[in-house]
Amino acid sequence: MNRYAVFARIAAGVMLIIVWGLTDSPLLGVVFMLLLTALSAARYRFKPYSWLIITEAIICVVYAFLWFPALLGLWLAVISFLENKWREWETELIQNENQNRAELLRLEKKREAAVLDSRNAARVAELTERARIAQDIHDHVGHEISGTLIALRTAVMLYEKGDERAGELLKQTAERLEQASENLRETVHNLKPAEVKESSYSMETLEELCGSFGFCTAVLVASGDLNNVNVWELLVVNLKEALTNVAKHSSATKVDVKLNGNADYIRMTVTDNGKSVNKNMHYGMGLTGMKERVRRAGGTLSFNTESGFQIINVLPKQGGLHEAFDS
C-alpha cells in the first residue's frame, strides 16, 4: 500500500504543477508546492500522521484564497487519510494474527499438559494397581503360606514322635495350600475378591483363626454390643496379619485377642507376650497395609510396644468396607 500511496502523491503533485503552469498563478505557488512536498516527505519520516493530514488540508484551504486551484491539493489529504486507514487495518490484522498465534500456542501447551497429566494418571493407576496386587498377595497368600509353614513344622515334629495327629495336621495343611493357590490365582488375574455376604465373616471366623493358630496359644475374648457389624472381613484380614507377624517376628507363648463393641464402634486388640519391640521400628508392608485399610474404612489403628507388641483396631461398625479394600 505504501508504494501505491507514493505513486498517488506523485501523480497529485504532477497534476498541481501542470495546473499551476497552465494558469495564471502567483509565485507563492512555488512555496505551496514546496510545503506540500515537505509534508509528503515528512509523512514517511515521522509516525504521528494525523496532524500531517490536518496540516495539508489547512494549507490547501488557505492557499485557495490566493489561488483557487490549490484546493486540488486536498487530494493529498485524502490520500493520506486512506493510507492511514489502510495502516490501521493492516495493524489490526497483524494484531489479530498475533493473538490467534498466541491462542494456538496456549491451546497447544494446554493440550500437551493434558496429555502429560493423562500419562501421569495412567502411571499412577498402574502403580496403584501393582501396590494393590502386592498387598493382596501379602494379606491373603502370605498369611496362608506362613500358617502352612508353621503347620508343616509341627506335623514333622509330631511325625518324628509317632503322633497320629500328624496326618490330620497334614490334611489341614493341604487345605490351606489349596486356599492360598486360589487366592493367588485371583490376584494374578487382577480380580477383585468376590463380594461376600455379611454372614460369611463373623466372630466365629475370628475364633477359628485363633483356634487354628499353631505357633502358640491364641485366646479370643468378646464383650459388649457385637450386633450390626459390617466390618468383619476387615477384622479377619487384620487378625490374619497380626497372627502372621507373631509367628514370624515374635517369641511369644500367648496371644490375647479382645473384641469389644458399643452402639457405633467395635474395637479389636491383639496383644502378644513376646519380646519388646523398638518404638522406632520400621513398619513393613503388612502393618502399613493394616493401617491404611482401617483409615479408609473410617477408623484408626495404633501400636503399643511397651510390653510385647499390641495392635489396636478401632472401627465404625458400619464402616466403609469396600473403600477399605479399594486402592
Side-chain angles (χ1 to χ4, degrees), residues 70-267:
L71 289 176
L72 293 174
L74 291 175
W75 276 110
L76 295 175
V78 172
I79 294 172
S80 297
F81 176 78
L82 295 176
E83 188 176 7
N84 279 358
K85 288 300 180 182
W86 178 270
R87 287 178 183 274
E88 291 176 1
W89 179 72
E90 190 176 46
T91 302
E92 184 178 355
L93 285 180
I94 294 174
Q95 290 177 347
N96 290 338
E97 185 177 359
N98 291 337
Q99 290 177 356
N100 290 336
R101 288 180 179 177
E103 181 66 15
L104 288 175
L105 182 60
R106 186 186 68 81
L107 292 175
E108 181 64 20
K109 289 183 178 180
K110 189 174 181 179
R111 186 190 68 82
E112 292 177 356
V115 171
L116 182 60
D117 289 343
S118 178
R119 290 177 179 174
N120 290 337
R123 179 60 176 167
V124 170
E126 179 185 355
L127 295 176
T128 301
E129 184 63 10
R130 287 183 181 180
R132 185 192 68 80
I133 294 174
Q135 191 69 56
D136 284 348
I137 294 175
H138 181 274
D139 293 341
H140 299 288
V141 182
H143 169 76
E144 295 295 341
I145 292 177
S146 297
T148 301
L149 179 60
I150 295 171
L152 281 175
R153 288 174 178 172
T154 305
V156 170
M157 293 174 58
L158 294 176
Y159 177 77
E160 290 176 349
K161 295 179 180 179
D163 195 322
E164 296 180 355
R165 291 178 297 174
E168 180 63 25
L169 197 55
L170 286 174
K171 182 180 178 181
Q172 295 178 5
T173 301
E175 293 175 352
R176 298 190 71 168
L177 281 175
E178 184 178 356
Q179 181 62 40
S181 176
E182 181 65 24
N183 289 337
L184 182 59
R185 189 179 301 112
E186 290 182 359
T187 303
V188 169
H189 287 282
N190 195 22
L191 297 176
K192 293 282 187 179
E195 291 189 6
V196 296
K197 297 180 180 179
E198 186 174 334
S199 59
S200 298
Y201 293 97
S202 63
M203 187 175 65
E204 286 71 21
T205 311
L206 299 177
E207 291 176 343
E208 291 174 3
L209 283 175
C210 292
S212 62
F213 186 55
F215 180 78
C216 65
T217 302
V219 179
L220 173 65
V221 177
S223 61
D225 181 4
L226 300 179
N227 297 317
N228 300 320
V229 178
N230 192 40
V231 289
W232 287 117
E233 183 178 358
L234 179 54
L235 293 173
V236 168
V237 172
N238 281 5
L239 180 58
K240 282 183 180 181
E241 179 61 35
L243 294 177
T244 299
N245 286 340
V246 170
K248 283 183 177 180
H249 308 296
S250 173
S251 58
T253 58
K254 184 179 179 182
V255 179
D256 290 317
V257 181
K258 294 182 179 180
L259 202 62
N260 181 266
N262 58 25
D264 300 314
Y265 289 90
I266 186 168
R267 170 176 171 156

Side-chain angles (χ1 to χ4, degrees), residues 8 38 55 111 147 224 304 316:
T55 303
R111 186 190 68 82
N304 190 337

